[in-house]
Amino acid sequence: MKNSNFFLLAVTAATVVSCGTHPSSYTINGTVSDTTLNGNKVYLTDMASRNVLDSAVIANGKFTFTGKADTALICQIQSRPYRMELVLENGDIAVEMGETDKRLGTPLNDSFALFMSDMDSLQNTIIAKQQEIMQKGLSEEELREAWQDFQTNTIMPEFNRVMSENFDRNKDNAVGAWAIANWNLEPAQFDSVLNLAGETLKANPLIKMMIQQQEILKKTAEGAMFTDFTIEQPDGSKVSLSDYVGKGKYVLVDFWASWCGPCRAEIPNIKELYDKYHSKGLDVLGVAVWDKVEDTQKAIKELGIVWPQIINAQQIPTELYGIQGIPHIILFAPDGTIVARDLREEAMKEKVAEVMKK
């Protein structure tokens, strides 16, 4: 009850400020429902630069950040295991962090709260449908088909509707920038949406970063020639992507890390393709990124990986290819052009089978 009263008082104060002059600084008054976090640090991080802007200690379920925002930024507040996003703008901002989170008190945070509410509603729809599908007693194949149908005909259209509506309401502010950043747009779609945006949105650090990212994706899109990189190995030797790609064979390149669960789960699928097609001219290459050398070497043994590896690549190839998440698997043609990227599971198997028939 005390935390709720504190939150309401903070919101009331924010409303009073918003009715007066334009504030020149910000105050974030936060409450945390989990009492076990008392004494822990909470961090305020800029989502574009990933820089920590400030930290505070949680005391009696409360924390405060103060400062000045020259421009509105999308930031994250985090104290493990909880994290939440908000718009850092001048004014009094009230937040609640826990199993559920709230942010309001300034115009952009009120808009952001509406955006998050729409996303929560979509998430609830997905969870309910997933439970419904699981209760039907379907076979594994039928489950896969039912889920794929739901994704294609319901999830993606609804997701695009939510993103489009929230962008339309926020075409020239940080909330609109966040919508674009989380929309998973192809380069051509990104350009079309950005053309509808205002100058303030285009100047947002998140969007500036995405513009650079989109240029990289265009240079490494399907049909483009591979971009080479060279990595020094633990034994002092240097290995390049061009040592494997562009040598007259199809090459499946897996960008992965030992700590990445989905990466490890993809290894049996890659092994299946390696066993089936390597003797027919398919090469496979692993590129270990964002990982410790000793952890990569241990995982190679644990997972029984027999194809060549470039290890200790860190962020070099992921920056060159605009890779934001792993595993990221790219199929290169014999001449070194990119056939397909971001391949996973059945789609990967189908694409490899398709090209190996030629």
Side-chain angles (χ1 to χ4, degrees), residues 22 41 45 83 137 142 154 178 199 205 221-222 233 280 309:
H22 294 291
K41 276 193 172 183
T45 303
R83 63 184 181 183
E142 288 172 331
T154 302
W178 184 247
E199 294 305 314
E222 294 179 6
Q233 299 302 279
K280 300 177 182 179
Q309 296 287 319

Side-chain angles (χ1 to χ4, degrees), residues 92-161:
D92 287 343
I93 304 168
V95 302
E96 280 187 1
M97 183 169 68
E99 293 297 335
T100 59
D101 49 64
K102 297 179 182 178
R103 80 282 286 153
L104 52 124
T106 60
L108 291 183
N109 277 293
D110 291 346
S111 294
F112 198 38
L114 180 58
F115 186 4
M116 292 297 99
S117 177
D118 289 344
M119 293 301 292
D120 287 344
S121 295
L122 178 59
Q123 180 68 20
N124 290 336
T125 298
I126 293 171
I127 292 172
K129 186 64 176 181
Q130 186 176 34
Q131 293 173 343
E132 178 188 325
I133 292 174
M134 294 299 294
Q135 292 172 358
K136 289 184 175 180
L138 302 175
S139 67
E140 184 175 338
E141 181 62 29
E142 288 172 331
L143 278 173
R144 187 182 297 112
E145 290 179 359
W147 183 246
Q148 182 62 48
D149 179 71
F150 180 57
Q151 282 184 311
T152 302
N153 297 314
T154 302
I155 295 179
M156 289 314 299
E158 278 298 295
F159 174 76
N160 286 325
R161 180 190 63 78

Side-chain angles (χ1 to χ4, degrees), residues 3-4 31 66 69 80 91 99 111 142 169 180 259-260 266 298 332 338:
N3 279 349
S4 296
T31 63
T66 59
R80 293 183 178 178
E99 293 297 335
S111 294
E142 288 172 331
R169 289 195 293 260
I180 293 176
W259 50 262
C260 167
E266 205 65 62
K298 180 181 178 182
F332 294 92
I338 296 171

Side-chain angles (χ1 to χ4, degrees), residues 32-287:
V32 182
S33 57
D34 188 343
T35 58
T36 64
L37 294 185
N38 283 327
N40 289 3
K41 276 193 172 183
V42 57
Y43 297 92
L44 178 67
T45 303
D46 173 17
M47 292 297 289
S49 67
R50 299 292 178 178
N51 291 332
V52 175
L53 304 179
D54 202 354
S55 64
V57 175
I58 300 171
N60 298 319
K62 302 173 186 177
F63 62 88
T64 301
F65 294 114
T66 59
K68 181 178 180 180
D70 295 326
T71 186
L73 301 173
I74 296 293
C75 290
Q76 183 180 86
I77 294 177
Q78 179 181 28
S79 185
R80 293 183 178 178
Y82 306 111
R83 63 184 181 183
M84 62 176 292
E85 286 74 35
L86 80 162
V87 181
L88 185 65
E89 63 176 334
N90 291 330
D92 287 343
I93 304 168
V95 302
E96 280 187 1
M97 183 169 68
E99 293 297 335
T100 59
D101 49 64
K102 297 179 182 178
R103 80 282 286 153
L104 52 124
T106 60
L108 291 183
N109 277 293
D110 291 346
S111 294
F112 198 38
L114 180 58
F115 186 4
M116 292 297 99
S117 177
D118 289 344
M119 293 301 292
D120 287 344
S121 295
L122 178 59
Q123 180 68 20
N124 290 336
T125 298
I126 293 171
I127 292 172
K129 186 64 176 181
Q130 186 176 34
Q131 293 173 343
E132 178 188 325
I133 292 174
M134 294 299 294
Q135 292 172 358
K136 289 184 175 180
L138 302 175
S139 67
E140 184 175 338
E141 181 62 29
E142 288 172 331
L143 278 173
R144 187 182 297 112
E145 290 179 359
W147 183 246
Q148 182 62 48
D149 179 71
F150 180 57
Q151 282 184 311
T152 302
N153 297 314
T154 302
I155 295 179
M156 289 314 299
E158 278 298 295
F159 174 76
N160 286 325
R161 180 190 63 78
V162 169
M163 303 307 282
S164 179
E165 288 181 356
N166 280 279
F167 169 73
D168 287 343
R169 289 195 293 260
N170 300 278
K171 286 184 177 179
D172 200 25
N173 62 44
V175 179
W178 184 247
I180 293 176
N182 288 274
W183 205 339
N184 299 321
L185 297 170
E186 296 295 328
Q189 295 173 315
F190 175 83
D191 290 343
S192 296
V193 171
L194 195 61
N195 285 335
L196 301 174
E199 294 305 314
T200 298
L201 185 150
K202 291 177 181 178
N204 186 278
L206 267 179
I207 297 302
K208 285 185 174 181
M209 181 181 69
M210 286 196 68
I211 291 172
Q212 296 176 346
Q213 173 80 3
Q214 291 295 321
E215 288 302 314
I216 291 171
L217 290 176
K218 289 175 184 177
K219 292 178 182 178
T220 57
E222 294 179 6
M225 184 59 66
F226 78 98
T227 299
D228 201 13
F229 55 83
T230 301
I231 307 296
E232 184 173 338
Q233 299 302 279
D235 63 2
S237 64
K238 293 185 177 181
V239 184
S240 300
L241 182 65
S242 57
D243 293 336
Y244 300 92
V245 173
K247 300 293 185 181
K249 293 183 178 181
Y250 282 100
V251 186
L252 194 66
V253 180
D254 175 28
F255 297 88
W256 71 292
S258 65
W259 50 262
C260 167
C263 297
R264 299 175 77 101
E266 205 65 62
I267 296 300
N269 294 323
I270 297 173
K271 186 177 186 301
E272 179 183 328
L273 292 172
Y274 181 84
D275 291 343
K276 185 173 183 178
Y277 295 110
H278 181 59
S279 62
K280 300 177 182 179
L282 174 72
D283 279 346
V284 176
L285 172 68
V287 179

Side-chain angles (χ1 to χ4, degrees), residues 8-20 27 91-94 104-107:
L8 289 173
L9 286 170
V11 172
T12 302
T15 303
V16 171
V17 170
S18 67
C19 292
T27 298
D92 287 343
I93 304 168
L104 52 124
T106 60

Side-chain angles (χ1 to χ4, degrees), residues 313-328:
Q314 304 309 340
Q315 78 281 2
I316 293 173
T318 53
E319 288 183 355
L320 286 173
Y321 281 85
I323 296 171
Q324 297 294 301
I326 53 176
H328 193 99

